[in-house]
Amino acid sequence: MNETRHGASWSMAASATLHCLTGCAIGEVLGMVIGTALGLGNVATIILAVALAFVFGYALTMRGVLKSGLPFGTALKVALAADTVSIAVMEIVDNGVMLVVPGAMEAGLASPLFWGALAFALAVAFVLTVPVNKWMIGRGLGHAKVHAHHGGHGDHGDHGGHSGHEGHHAH
């Protein structure tokens, strides 16, 4: 835990961001598919995709935190505290990139342009969110909030806490 509080590692920040990216990507893709299937416009589809990114991001964190024995309400509070900033940064960056890539939003789900732009947008969002998570973890926030609820589960050290606690890494 000393590593978490004083000088968070880049690997822990990258692990937390990769977890965030997973939830965001699931929500983004599902939102785009649903929005397209329902014939929604770009704004409505983006709103749906962002909302689902938050839902899936929080759900992935809650899954692990609930396994540690916390009640649902407490687990939800931990997920909200741990993930909100990271998901927000990820979503602002990735949707901003999608909007500036010419034709990406209009390309549709069958287009390589759409999928290439989405992959590029998520990669840019990952790179820009890692330092945010590193800063937060170093101050006992973000990913560190989740680790605080795994006190009896061994030292998570500098390896991002991958000692059998999959799904609990916050953003």
Side-chain angles (χ1 to χ4, degrees):
M1 186 61 82
N2 198 21
E3 172 75 20
T4 301
R5 296 282 181 197
H6 304 292
S9 73
W10 283 103
S11 65
M12 187 180 287
S15 174
T17 307
L18 185 58
H19 183 269
C20 176
L21 180 71
T22 302
C24 288
I26 293 168
E28 291 277 331
V29 171
L30 190 57
M32 293 293 178
V33 169
I34 293 170
T36 300
L38 296 177
L40 302 177
N42 284 349
V43 173
T45 298
I46 288 173
I47 290 170
L48 178 61
V50 169
L52 289 174
F54 275 92
V55 167
F56 279 94
Y58 291 142
L60 287 176
T61 295
M62 285 186 63
R63 179 177 158 251
V65 175
L66 287 168
K67 282 184 181 180
S68 76
L70 286 182
F72 184 86
T74 305
L76 178 60
K77 288 177 186 173
V78 169
L80 292 172
D83 296 348
T84 301
V85 171
S86 183
I87 296 172
V89 170
M90 182 78 62
E91 287 303 300
I92 289 167
V93 172
D94 110 55
N95 282 292
V97 170
M98 285 298 288
L99 289 170
V100 299
V101 172
M105 288 300 295
E106 294 76 29
L109 296 175
S111 168
L113 173 62
F114 172 81
W115 293 104
L118 182 59
F120 175 70
L122 290 169
V124 170
F126 176 83
V127 168
L128 295 178
T129 306
V130 169
V132 172
N133 282 325
K134 185 177 186 308
W135 182 86
M136 290 176 59
I137 292 165
R139 280 146 189 81
L141 304 171
H143 190 64
K145 292 286 187 191
V146 174
H147 279 283
H149 294 283
H150 288 282
H153 297 286
D155 179 23
H156 294 293
D158 187 30
H159 51 273
H162 290 288
S163 56
H165 300 295
E166 93 269 0
H168 79 277
H169 300 288
H171 314 282

